Amino acid sequence: MSEATLQGRLAALQGRLASACARAGRSPDAVTLVAVSKTFDAAAVAEAYALGLRDFGENYVQELSAKQAALAHLEGLRWHMIGHLQRNKARAVVPGVAMLQSLDSVALAVEVSKRAAEARRSLPVLVQVNVGGEAQKSGCAPGALGALLDAVEALPGVSLSGLMTVPPHTEDPAGARPFFDALLALREAHGGPSRLPVVSMGMTHDLEVAVAAGATMVRVGNALFGSRKTD
Ligand SMILES: *Cc1c(COP(=O)(O)O)cnc(C)c1O
């Protein structure tokens, strides 16, 4: 099928995921695909929804809100906030997302919990970990993870679902492996799969490596929607 169409790119991506799962001896159902729609318009999301996708990731609050409003009629569509969230934007995001994947501080957890309680809900969250220790990246430091997980569990409006990371970029996708392994090791050190069932890692460039390392959720934009001009 042609990769000039969304349908063709989705088939190719599902093929990549299926072979990665097969090579890792994992069931294809063990990995959830989150379609990262940042910079692509609501029509592209609607087309992906029509092809069966339900989980969509956005990085920016305004863009997320605009697409939510445009696509409110699509039943069962789940929005994931995957970009850095400022505390003063929590109120705009919390009521309408299925999951916040970028929780990275106690202060943000407190604010998100408060806004979720106001919306009479409990929001599933992933704690983002900066496994590469990169100054320009968000995410909590590995050493601060234990305290943050405890804080999340003590708050009424957030429900701890797992961990997320964005590794440092390496030309060779295999270069991400040590960082993915580091996230899995942190999961084991902090309660394992029963406490942290979701491990969100792997993007267009390195999703095979992430699946081999144990990702349960991959976040893919370019391979699905075509190339973003800028990011
Ligand atoms: C943009 C983005 C992705 C998707 O990256 P692609 O290279 O387009 O697959 C995944 N996760 C986060 C946090 C992103 O910002």
Side-chain angles (χ1 to χ4, degrees):
M1 213 179 292
S2 164
E3 299 213 3
T5 66
L6 182 61
Q7 190 176 18
R9 288 189 299 268
L10 175 58
L13 173 60
Q14 282 168 337
R16 281 178 71 183
L17 283 168
S19 15
C21 286
R23 280 196 301 276
R26 304 179 60 200
S27 155
D29 303 338
V31 183
T32 301
L33 171 61
V34 175
V36 176
S37 47
K38 65 176 177 227
T39 78
F40 298 99
D41 61 15
V45 174
E47 194 185 343
Y49 176 94
L51 293 169
L53 295 181
R54 290 294 177 271
D55 292 276
F56 293 89
E58 286 286 340
N59 291 62
Y60 308 104
V61 175
Q62 275 197 340
E63 193 182 343
L64 169 67
S65 302
K67 284 179 214 173
Q68 276 175 332
L71 300 171
H73 58 288
L74 298 183
E75 221 169 290
L77 190 159
R78 293 180 289 270
W79 292 105
H80 297 244
M81 177 60 183
I82 63 172
H84 180 66
L85 181 60
Q86 287 171 293
R87 263 188 292 166
N88 62 5
K89 300 275 176 63
R91 191 211 308 247
V93 166
V94 166
V97 294
M99 181 177 268
L100 170 65
Q101 297 206 9
S102 49
L103 188 77
D104 63 355
S105 72
V106 174
L108 179 60
V110 168
E111 181 66 20
V112 167
S113 174
K114 183 174 142 194
R115 297 306 176 188
E118 283 171 6
R120 300 184 188 286
R121 66 175 302 204
S122 167
L123 180 65
V125 297
L126 303 183
V127 170
Q128 182 176 356
V129 187
N130 186 357
V131 282
E134 295 172 282
Q136 76 279 14
K137 269 205 183 115
S138 41
C140 92
L145 180 59
L148 180 49
L149 294 175
D150 290 344
V152 168
E153 282 180 330
L155 289 164
V158 283
S159 114
L160 181 62
S161 296
L163 303 177
M164 182 271 234
T165 199
V166 182
H169 180 78
T170 52
E171 274 311 308
D172 179 1
R177 183 66 192 247
F179 301 102
F180 293 154
D181 287 342
L183 193 69
L184 267 290
L186 286 168
R187 183 208 214 185
E188 284 314 309
H190 293 282
S194 60
R195 186 185 192 199
L196 301 165
V198 180
V199 179
S200 173
M201 58 187 196
M203 315 194 290
T204 292
H205 179 62
D206 54 16
L207 66 91
E208 285 88 355
V209 181
V211 167
T216 71
M217 190 176 268
V218 294
R219 308 176 309 269
V220 181
N222 281 330
L224 194 56
F225 291 108
S227 289
R228 287 185 298 276
K229 288 173 205 79
T230 54
D231 187 355

